[in-house]
Amino acid sequence: MKTKKKRVEDELIKEALEEEHRIRKAFKDKDWAEIKGANSWMIFKVMSEFVEGLEKLAKIGPCVTIFGSARVKPSNHYYKVAEEIAYQLVQQGYGVITGGGPGIMEAGNRGANRAKGKSVGLNIYLPHEQKGNIYIDPDKLITFDYFFVRKVMFVKYSQGFIVMPGGFGTLDELTEALTLIQTKKIGRFPIVLVGKKFWGGLLDWWKKVLVHDGMISEEDQELFDLVDTPEEAVRVIDEFYSKYLLSPNF
């Protein structure tokens, strides 16, 4: 019988070999026919994901997306905050969209489900498969292969972003939304960062380095709000839409 240490070592070796294989495969020479064939099938797959997403999400009505770490457990403070934010959003007439997985995403869908509101999950196929959580409405779960298609759906059908603590994926979604608003590719909509302690260091760096060095302007820091409580987060969304008509973003 293998010891726990040996099993961990074997798993690490397996992952390293798989990564090596992926890298070598990516740099493998391909002939023109092989490239053309693969590209053609990819175009059809991308089109099918766009069609499914657009058809399903066009019917959901006003929604707010909640982003955050998949690694957060139900006992975590931010899981509970995310669930309560989702619950209160539904009470105010919004549906909730998440990335469909565990952690903060599960919390968002759980809160929406508890409030008997629309609970949407935009899931993604990953090497270690991410399964849709049980709190998503069965007719509102979509699973994508392509991150970029999924991100279009988040932006197009969300009337606001609630950004909980998270990792690379959360930062990617946050900065893409800020970039689209900053460059006027989409109209401005509320982006709410939740957790002053968590986000404080990053925001200080943005100000001390990005603003100071002219990489972003001072006004760009007004594209988002920073809060700590569910009540504050929902208030930002409500106050924004007390001035503007709810509609798709592009």
Side-chain angles (χ1 to χ4, degrees), residues 142-213:
I142 309 173
T143 303
F144 297 89
D145 268 315
Y146 297 100
F147 271 110
F148 70 90
V149 179
R150 181 178 180 239
K151 288 197 289 184
V152 168
M153 300 303 154
F154 281 134
V155 173
K156 183 170 179 60
Y157 293 106
S158 297
Q159 274 64 58
F161 280 3
I162 302 290
V163 189
M164 303 294 299
F168 288 150
T170 303
L171 291 170
D172 175 46
E173 287 143 351
L174 167 63
T175 53
E176 174 148 347
L178 291 172
T179 300
L180 290 171
I181 295 172
Q182 179 200 54
T183 56
K184 303 191 186 317
K185 288 295 184 181
I186 63 172
R188 184 174 176 182
F189 65 96
I191 297 175
V192 186
L193 278 61
V194 181
K196 292 180 181 179
K197 182 178 180 182
F198 182 87
W199 294 109
L202 175 64
L203 300 187
D204 284 344
W205 181 79
W206 284 3
K207 185 173 183 178
K208 292 176 181 177
V209 178
L210 297 187
V211 174
H212 180 268
D213 291 354

Side-chain angles (χ1 to χ4, degrees), residues 45-56:
K45 175 60 177 170
V46 169
M47 288 174 60
S48 73
E49 291 198 357
F50 271 118
V51 169
E52 181 185 9
L54 294 171
E55 286 185 346
K56 284 191 175 183

Side-chain angles (χ1 to χ4, degrees), residues 61-104:
C63 285
V64 174
T65 292
I66 297 177
F67 294 111
S69 175
R71 303 182 184 190
V72 167
K73 304 300 181 187
S75 58
N76 185 280
H77 167 71
Y78 290 117
Y79 182 106
K80 297 172 183 176
V81 171
E83 182 180 348
E84 182 60 25
I85 289 172
Y87 182 86
Q88 292 189 24
L89 284 169
V90 170
Q91 297 294 305
Q92 295 301 110
Y94 303 96
V96 171
I97 302 173
T98 78
I104 294 294

Side-chain angles (χ1 to χ4, degrees), residues 181-248:
I181 295 172
Q182 179 200 54
T183 56
K184 303 191 186 317
K185 288 295 184 181
I186 63 172
R188 184 174 176 182
F189 65 96
I191 297 175
V192 186
L193 278 61
V194 181
K196 292 180 181 179
K197 182 178 180 182
F198 182 87
W199 294 109
L202 175 64
L203 300 187
D204 284 344
W205 181 79
W206 284 3
K207 185 173 183 178
K208 292 176 181 177
V209 178
L210 297 187
V211 174
H212 180 268
D213 291 354
M215 305 301 175
I216 63 173
S217 67
E218 187 77 39
E219 293 74 26
D220 288 333
Q221 295 190 104
E222 298 173 6
L223 298 179
F224 57 87
D225 290 270
L226 177 63
V227 305
D228 258 335
T229 69
E231 291 75 18
E232 291 173 315
V234 175
R235 188 181 307 124
V236 171
I237 304 291
D238 276 341
E239 288 179 353
F240 184 90
Y241 286 109
S242 68
K243 303 175 186 176
Y244 302 105
L245 181 68
L246 285 163
S247 64

